[in-house]
Each structure stands twice: as structure tokens, then as C-alpha cells.
Amino acid sequence: MTTTPRRIDVHHHLVPPLYRDALAKRGITEAGGRTLPDWSPESALELMDLLGTATAILSVSTPGTGFLTDPAEAATLARRLNDCSAALTAERPDRFGWFATLPMPDVDASAKEAERSLAELGADGVTLLANNRGIYLGDAGQDALWRVLDAHSGVVLVHPAELPAPAVDGIPPFATDFLLDTTRAAYLLVRNGIPRRYPNIRFILSHGGGFLPYASHRMAVALGSDTGRSPLDILDDFRGFYFDTALSSSPTALPTLLAFARPGHVLFGSDWPFAPAAAGQYFANGLDSGVGPGTLPAVNRTNAEALFPRLAGAPTPAPARPLPVRLRQSAQRAGARLFFKLIQPGTN
């Protein structure tokens, strides 16, 4: 890349000390089969500079507050996490945004915290896990939350969680189960008419929508048989979701995603720090080499600007790192691009 892409990263996590401590008290040291990574605002900014990211929308990954069975404890942790995210963004509004954590599956408490976060704290949206202790998004009884989000034209990052079933030995949940979890939530949201009943909510599906783009016609036929609706209408609902590219901009997955999604509905995502810097570079290079020059700026930035108007026209942050650091990052980017090209399947 000869110019900085000024990406807006909609799938970028934070692991603040208060969250790590709360997990440690329950003996939780990993998420989705991955050890909890180190995190700090400084390391986040370094990774962002490496990937050419101007602004990252921060979110808390799985398990969120779902590991707490006491509703009051879960609501308190969600409030503390949201206050922390709001304060961090207030310090660097040019570099950070944030999605609020909600204490699902407690719908009433989640609706209350969504209102506080969006109306009082200035959250850019909310994060919802695809399932919360086995209760999926789209299940009955969640309308109080959907009403609040619809009233605020809320942006919802749908993030996968571990499936409500034992993991299979040798298959870490983040590798395959997460994709199914996101797909299940998308299926139920459409089956139960949530996007049509609450049209102002913008849902972003993590990791390219899981299996949704690839299997959308199969699922539309199944849903049509189940509900009596036209498969074409169901496909239209599926295409109404937004999709991030986190770990999904490979030479095989990216064409399917771009062919399926509506124009303007594909957004850049890195999944850092759960996806390490090398993985972020690999898939960023897949995006840069797999999308035409007429589409790449939209995926990198302008599609996200439509969802987050406060970021539209924001100036590119001036390089603040010492020259040796910038030279090292430039060499890392060049090496990552070469590596990406070398390992792609040949044609012979």
C-alpha cells in the first residue's frame, strides 16, 4: 500500500484489568479456546498503526458478563465496563469508539443499560453475544431490548460465544463453533422477523457472517418451508445484515461475502487482540489484494462512516511514533504482504 488506508475497525476488542480480574475470580483464563491476550491502549494503538487503522470501535468479547449467574453482579460489571470504554474513548475520540456491553440474558437490565450507554455515555452501538447461556438472539421475550435499540437506530455487533454444548476434543471453539454460533443467531433473527419489526437496528455479523453467505440459499429454502415466506424475501433479510471481515478476507471467503452482501454492507474488522498481529496482517493483506480499487476504500472506511457519522471526515491521525518504530512497522507490512502472496494456492 502506498497510502495509509485509514481503516475503521469495527471488530476490535479490549481486555481491561477490571474485566480480567472479574474473570480470574471465577477461574476463567481463556475465551473460545484461546488464552486471554495481553491488552493495553498503547498496544492497541501500535497494532492499529501497523494495519493502517485510524479508528477502532472497541468491544468486550465472549463471555461478556454471561459467566455471572447473579443478575445484579452482571449488570454491575456491564456498567463498569461501559464506563471504562467511555472514558478511554473520551481521551482519544479520533482513535477509539466503543460498543456497550449488555448483561444478557437479562433483557430488562440490558434494555436499561443500552439506554444509558447510548443516550448518556455516547456509545457507538452495543455488543450482543449470539447466545447467552443457550438463549439465542431472536428468541421470544427480547422485545424490550429491541425497542430501545430501534428507537436509537442502534448498531449491534453480533459476536459469537461458545455453543451451548460441549466442545469437541481437538476443535477449539473459536475455529469452527464461533462461525456456527453467529449463523444460528442470524437465522433466528430472520425467522422471527426481528429485522422487519425493528428496521432501524443495524446488525453487524462477525467474521463474515459465519456460514451465512455460503449457505444462505439453503437456509432460505428451509426457512421458507418452515414459515411459508418467500425464500426471496428471506434472502433479502439475510442480505440486510452488515458483515465484518475479521479473519474472513481470504481468497476463497472474500469473493463469496462480496457477492452476497448488499453494497455498502461489508466492513473492516481485525479481531485483535484475540487474533494476533500476524493474523491481522494476513487477513488485511487478503482484503487489500482481493478487493478492487473502487470497493476497497468503502470496505476500509466509508461503509463504516455511514454507520458512525461522527467518524466521517475525521482527519487522519498524524504519525506519533518514533522513526525507528515506523520503519520497523513498514518492514513488517512488506514482509507480511510477501508472505501472503507466497502461501496462496498455485494454479498448476
Side-chain angles (χ1 to χ4, degrees):
M1 294 177 291
T2 58
T3 59
T4 302
R6 302 178 64 235
R7 307 186 210 264
I8 295 175
D9 186 349
V10 303
H11 191 144
H12 189 113
H13 297 302
L14 77 164
V15 190
L18 72 93
Y19 184 55
R20 186 184 297 275
D21 291 347
L23 292 171
K25 288 179 181 178
R26 300 302 193 282
I28 300 172
T29 59
E30 63 177 36
R34 296 189 70 94
T35 300
L36 288 174
D38 293 330
W39 175 88
S40 69
E42 295 74 23
S43 61
L45 289 169
E46 184 173 356
L47 182 281
M48 290 162 61
D49 291 344
L50 181 64
L51 298 187
T53 299
T55 305
I57 313 296
L58 304 172
S59 58
V60 172
S61 184
T62 184
T65 66
F67 67 98
L68 297 171
T69 56
D70 183 323
E73 284 188 89
T76 297
L77 179 58
R79 288 179 64 91
R80 294 181 66 203
L81 286 169
N82 294 335
D83 290 342
C84 172
S85 298
L88 180 59
T89 299
E91 292 178 3
R92 293 300 305 269
D94 58 329
R95 303 306 306 269
F96 294 124
W98 63 288
F99 290 121
T101 298
L102 303 182
M104 290 290 276
D106 188 330
V107 172
D108 290 337
S110 294
K112 182 178 179 180
E113 184 60 19
E115 178 68 34
R116 185 183 84 97
S117 297
L118 295 169
E120 299 178 21
L121 299 184
D124 293 292
V126 306
T127 305
L128 290 174
L129 298 182
N131 91 85
N132 296 269
R133 299 205 295 270
I135 300 174
Y136 272 88
L137 300 182
D139 277 351
Q142 298 171 354
D143 290 273
L145 176 58
W146 302 136
R147 284 194 293 268
V148 170
L149 296 174
D150 191 69
H152 286 280
S153 297
V155 179
V156 176
L157 176 67
V158 178
H159 193 281
E162 296 190 25
L163 295 176
V168 176
D169 288 343
I171 304 178
F174 76 88
T176 60
D177 294 353
F178 273 17
L179 302 175
L180 175 57
D181 201 48
T182 300
T183 306
R184 283 178 167 182
Y187 188 99
L188 280 176
L189 285 167
V190 169
R191 183 191 183 280
N192 293 331
I194 305 304
R196 295 207 171 209
R197 290 162 52 202
Y198 301 98
N200 296 321
I201 302 175
R202 281 78 54 82
F203 292 96
I204 303 172
L205 301 183
S206 297
H207 306 124
F211 304 131
L212 177 59
Y214 186 82
S216 56
H217 287 254
R218 173 177 178 151
M219 291 191 290
V221 170
L223 268 176
S225 176
D226 179 27
T227 64
R229 293 179 57 200
S230 164
L232 293 177
D233 288 341
I234 294 166
L235 283 169
D236 191 55
D237 287 350
F238 283 150
R239 295 182 69 236
F241 290 119
Y242 289 78
F243 305 85
D244 74 48
T245 65
L247 303 178
S248 302
S249 48
S250 70
T252 49
L254 187 58
T256 301
L257 176 59
L258 292 172
F260 176 74
R262 286 181 185 169
H265 281 227
V266 178
L267 314 164
F268 175 75
S270 71
D271 206 0
W272 190 85
F274 288 90
Q281 287 184 279
Y282 179 86
F283 287 101
N285 283 320
L287 179 65
D288 292 338
S289 61
V291 177
T295 302
L296 184 58
V299 175
N300 276 336
R301 184 172 185 88
T302 56
N303 292 345
E305 287 180 331
L307 290 180
F308 310 105
R310 75 174 184 85
L311 299 178
T316 301
R321 301 193 179 280
L323 179 60
V325 174
R326 284 182 275 141
L327 290 175
R328 172 171 54 82
Q329 290 181 333
S330 179
Q332 286 178 298
R333 287 191 289 268
R337 287 195 295 271
L338 177 61
F339 177 76
F340 179 83
K341 292 178 181 179
L342 288 175
I343 67 172
Q344 298 314 308
T347 57
N348 54 3

